[in-house]
Amino acid sequence: MYAFDWSSIPASLPFLWQGMLVTLQITLVAIVVGILLGTIIAVVRLSKNPILSALAAAYVTLFRSIPLVMVLLWFQLALVPPVVRWLFPKSNLDLNLLIAFTAFAFFEASYYAEIIRTGIQSISKGQVMAAQALGMTDGAVMRLVILPQAFRRMIPLLLTQAIILFQDSSLVYVIGLADFFGVAKNRADSTGSQVEFILFAGAVYLILCLTLSTIVRQLQKRIVI
Amino acid sequence: MISIRDISKWYGAFHVLKDCSTEIQKGEVVVVCGPSGSGKSTLIKCVNGLEPFQKGEVIIEGTSVGAKKTNLPKLRARVGMVFQHFELFPHLSVFQNLTIAQCRVLRRSAGEAEEKAGRLLDLVGLRAHARKFPAQLSGGQQQRVAIARALAIRPRVLLLDEPLSALDAQLRQDMVGELQGLRRSLPDVAMLYVTHDQAEALALADRIAVMRDARLVDVDTADRLYHQPPSQFTAAFLGGANLLPGMVLATTPDGGARVQIAGVDVPVDKNSGFDVGDQVLLCVRPHALELAGANGGLSAQLVSAQWRGASYRLGLTVDGDQRLHADVPSLTGLPAVGEPVAVRIPADAAVLIRPDVEAK
């Protein structure tokens, strides 16, 4: 029978915490930028301009049709480094972190855009008419009436997507970035306690995701709109 | 103040509005009344441009609603609207529902908007509920907030799209009284009110526009449409008149006529220009019919009696198939259901209508 040896883990906790910070940074940036960009894409997709709408639809289709690993590699090999070199030729930016931020933000934006589009469309025409009847412009109707209601309805879906994103962030190992999972894997290789580190990392992901899922369930019960 | 001129709207071959025209003056209440699906709600939404239309023109205080150069949001800021299902913003409190357009559309200061919102909540009796959200209010309270919200922009024109139809019967009656009070407090506001309820129309209207199959078929004062309906449809729709087919037997020098109804000679005080031999419909309201025991009028059979609290509605047949309704305060002295009864039509309560006036 396999004899577990957990002794390497306490000494690795500071490294794992550093990795967790990277994971949380990627998750947070991707959520914030993804939702902002996703909102713009969703609004553009619902616009009356057929060209803009088609472009927004193409963006969503493109990113939702490609595996995230491939997006990360594209951003690393072809997109981010040349742009950064062009924009900031003398900078010492952490390129891998920047690649992770941008790849996740652009990738998640396509998923958030679909959630937000559905949320916007769930608001009744009567609400839109009531806002227009008060003299609001289309922009004001969207900003003051539709989006605030839509976001309340979307919170559970947005958080569920955030949980998926948190888990998917472990894929950054393909661009050589040491997030929580990457650090755990490195420590596992260097200490020889592979099973223990993978189990420990899995337990951390499980606890965090279960906690977030519980919050989502509670929110679903409380959101009445 | 509002001029609706030959408005038409269609989807392919299906017309939802056909050449609708009417005018609403400052301080006037015009009620568009018609059965469900006749196009009333579409018409009222065309007035402030919420629904586009293909033909015709709507002019509000000199501004054409359908014109390309018209700034619709600016125009709508002068036109309050109350919707059938209230359409309060559920994410905002009652107070915020009343201040949002004032602050964000009319650019009033927060202080001014709040002061106005407070006064309107006093007017509709909901000051104590200002911090609540719409979901925490009853249907009647929500509708009051919706009315206050429409008034918060200090509109010159008020559009009300079946504002009471989502409420229960008792509440509807109470709200009709409140709307009458509101109307008195807004003497300069032109109101266009849509309803399928003829009682609401009669209670609130200066003029009623009867709508049928996408057309405004009759537009006149409530009193004239009720007492001298110009068409068979309006007679039946407003007040549920009895319509008995007959023929003019003679005209009288004092402006009356004698009409043969089911073989009986019935005098009518007012002849509306019919000649001897004309086929007519004799229109008489259920409450005006008199039941005269076994003799002295049209021979009828009592087929049903429904108690309605304050009165009974009787179902009668004349000549075996023509159905009449009569409202009586009590069944005392009347024959039992299934027995014959004589129906007398008071000469001053009957109006003659040409059958072919009915809208197509």
Side-chain angles (χ1 to χ4, degrees), chain B residues 87-99:
Chain B
E87 300 299 349
L88 296 176
F89 303 132
H91 60 297
L92 301 178
S93 70
V94 166
F95 208 69
Q96 289 167 326
N97 264 279
L98 266 62
T99 55

Side-chain angles (χ1 to χ4, degrees), chain A residues 4-6 8-10 12-17 20 180-181 183-184 187 193-208:
Chain A
F4 286 102
D5 176 11
W6 303 97
S8 310
I9 288 178
S12 303
L13 284 177
F15 303 104
L16 289 166
W17 173 242
M20 179 56 78
F180 178 72
F181 179 75
V183 171
R187 297 299 296 169
S193 304
Q194 269 122 346
V195 174
E196 289 81 355
F197 270 96
I198 298 302
L199 279 176
F200 177 75
V204 170
Y205 277 112
L206 182 70
I207 289 164
L208 287 174

